[in-house]
């Protein structure tokens, strides 16, 4: 199936950035992302919302500094003391964290969302709030929580960040890797890489 216009836009922008990137890790990220998007979009059924998510998941290791362990689809039960209530336990035991990054000192849990909308961020905040609420003794390392987003469109991102603060910071970090004009924010991508290294130690 031919890629939709917006996926073609993501592919074209990634190809452009891969040609301009000076750092090998950044070049490899964009090349991997554009290649995966091209391949997966051709095989995808109409309306398949996982084309971008799965392509990004394949490319993400290029953004993670050497020496850090990136895990995909980690079970929530690895990070919390499961509650006693059966219905709540059954709900949480099925939940998975999109990405976890382990360093010497901390573990960073990341929920990935293609867009930055109220519902996207709200879903990430609820999941990470549950992690913080039940993570009394389970983790061997301190756990930090985050959400990672690609395209904000015209969303009030500053307002969403302030909402997270007002709700007690269920997300310790919120990263947006693109501009409202659907271009990759190179400074934000580089900052994400540096911050991850600082956070997990």
């Amino acid at each position: 199936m031919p890629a939709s216009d917006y996926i073609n836009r993501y592919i074209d922008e990634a190809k452009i950035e891969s040609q301009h990137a000076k750092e090998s890790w950044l070049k490899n990220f964009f090349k991997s992302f554009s290649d995966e998007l091209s391949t997966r979009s051709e095989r995808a059924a109409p309306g398949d919302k996982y084309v971008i998510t799965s392509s990004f998941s394949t490319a993400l290791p290029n953004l993670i500094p050497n020496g850090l362990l990136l895990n995909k689809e980690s079970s929530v039960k690895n990070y919390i003391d499961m509650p006693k209530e059966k219905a709540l336990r059954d709900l949480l035991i099925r939940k998975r964290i999109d990405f976890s990054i382990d360093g010497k000192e901390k573990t960073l849990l990341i929920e990935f969302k293609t867009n930055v909308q109220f519902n996207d961020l709200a879903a990430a905040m609820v999941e990470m709030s549950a992690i913080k609420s039940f993570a009394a003794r389970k983790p061997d390392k301190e756990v930090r929580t985050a959400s990672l987003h690609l395209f904000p469109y015209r969303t009030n991102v500053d307002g969403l960040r302030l909402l997270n603060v007002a709700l007690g910071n269920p997300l310790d970090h919120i990263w947006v890797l693109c501009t409202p004009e659907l271009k990759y924010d190179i400074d934000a991508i580089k900052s994400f890489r540096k911050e991850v290294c600082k956070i997990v130690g």
Side-chain angles (χ1 to χ4, degrees):
M1 174 190 169
S4 64
D5 289 343
Y6 78 93
I7 289 181
N8 282 328
R9 177 73 179 269
Y10 300 165
I11 294 170
D12 291 343
E13 290 292 332
K15 287 180 178 178
I16 291 169
E17 295 298 345
S18 70
Q19 294 171 358
H20 294 162
K22 296 179 181 179
E23 300 87 347
S24 60
W25 60 266
L26 189 57
K27 184 183 294 290
N28 292 338
F29 166 75
F30 282 121
K31 185 177 187 310
S32 175
F33 193 34
S34 61
D35 289 350
E36 288 291 323
L37 279 174
S38 297
T39 301
R40 292 176 188 271
S41 61
E42 290 176 359
R43 300 192 306 243
D48 185 348
K49 63 181 181 179
Y50 296 108
V51 171
I52 296 174
T53 301
S54 55
S55 298
F56 184 84
S57 179
T58 299
L60 179 60
N62 293 290
L63 298 185
I64 306 305
N66 292 334
L68 302 181
L69 179 61
L70 172 66
N71 299 297
K72 302 175 184 179
E73 295 291 319
S74 298
S75 174
V76 164
K77 69 180 180 181
N78 294 333
Y79 306 102
I80 67 173
D81 292 325
M82 296 302 292
K84 296 179 180 179
E85 298 87 349
K86 183 180 185 303
L88 182 54
R89 187 172 65 249
D90 289 347
L91 175 70
L92 293 176
I93 203 167
R94 290 180 171 82
K95 295 299 295 178
R96 293 189 169 274
I97 303 296
D98 291 331
F99 305 108
S100 64
I101 303 174
D102 287 315
K104 295 178 180 178
E105 301 174 6
K106 298 180 178 69
T107 295
L108 176 64
L109 305 181
I110 301 175
E111 276 298 293
F112 174 73
K113 304 294 181 184
T114 302
N115 298 316
V116 191
Q117 301 291 340
F118 181 91
N119 288 347
D120 298 314
L121 195 69
M125 286 193 293
V126 168
E127 189 151 348
M128 293 307 185
S129 180
I131 292 286
K132 288 189 171 184
S133 295
F134 296 107
R137 297 179 302 278
K138 188 67 176 281
D140 296 326
K141 302 175 184 176
E142 179 184 346
V143 170
R144 302 296 294 270
T145 61
S147 63
L148 181 60
H149 308 263
L150 281 182
F151 297 97
Y153 297 105
R154 299 293 186 268
T155 303
N156 180 0
V157 176
D158 289 340
L160 291 175
R161 291 182 188 277
L162 289 173
L163 176 63
N164 179 63
V165 173
L167 295 177
N169 289 306
L171 296 165
D172 297 311
H173 309 276
I174 300 171
W175 290 293
V176 180
L177 302 186
C178 295
T179 70
E181 294 75 33
L182 302 185
K183 293 184 180 294
Y184 297 99
D185 189 333
I186 303 304
D187 288 340
I189 293 172
K190 291 180 179 179
S191 178
F192 164 74
R193 179 180 166 90
K194 289 180 181 177
E195 288 177 25
V196 164
C197 196
K198 290 179 181 178
I199 291 164
V200 300

